Amino acid sequence: MEPVVAMLRMFAGLDETLLLRGATGTGKSHLARWCHAQSPRRHSPFVSVHLHALPDGLRECELFGWRRGAFTGATHDHAGAVQRAEGGTLFIDEVDKLPLGTQAGLLRMIEDRR
């Protein structure tokens, strides 16, 4: 684990996107929190989204939010995780649970940083 932590320590100080891979239960979310705590963004929000815990229809909504009236039951605006994490760190667990089109949009957002 020492080489992983040494590499993460180096990247934590940079304004870079990290991909943490590993089997379920290996501690990816703990490593993401640790990286956030070491980063210049440590005083900004850390937002964690566990996509496997959300129903299929709400995964995109949780990431990007919604406006009141967008669907039945949307009685108020809801800021998505991307907006809530602005200036901080967004950790998305189980990205592979998103539809391919949403994954492409998420990749575009990460690349453009907008």
Side-chain angles (χ1 to χ4, degrees):
M1 195 67 177
E2 247 179 76
V4 172
V5 172
M7 186 179 344
L8 288 176
R9 182 173 284 118
M10 180 182 67
F11 278 102
L14 303 174
D15 190 24
E16 292 292 333
T17 301
L18 297 178
L19 173 64
L20 301 174
R21 294 180 12 184
T24 300
T26 56
K28 295 179 296 291
S29 64
H30 291 293
L31 287 173
R33 282 187 190 279
W34 181 86
C35 285
H36 175 75
Q38 308 303 309
S39 79
R41 298 175 303 281
R42 65 183 156 271
H43 300 294
S44 298
F46 177 90
V47 177
S48 183
V49 179
H50 298 280
L51 295 175
H52 60 279
L54 297 169
D56 290 345
L58 290 181
R59 290 178 179 147
E60 290 180 57
C61 291
E62 180 54 32
L63 279 176
F64 301 112
W66 65 78
R67 296 273 185 211
R68 184 175 71 107
F71 53 86
T72 304
T75 58
H76 61 281
D77 291 353
H78 174 74
V82 171
Q83 184 178 355
R84 293 191 315 266
E86 190 169 341
T89 299
L90 175 61
F91 174 70
I92 305 170
D93 195 15
E94 305 285 342
V95 172
D96 63 322
K97 301 295 187 234
L98 291 171
L100 291 178
T102 305
Q103 288 182 35
L106 189 59
L107 178 59
R108 196 170 313 114
M109 181 201 71
I110 290 168
E111 288 174 339
D112 296 346
R113 298 211 179 254
R114 296 187 298 128

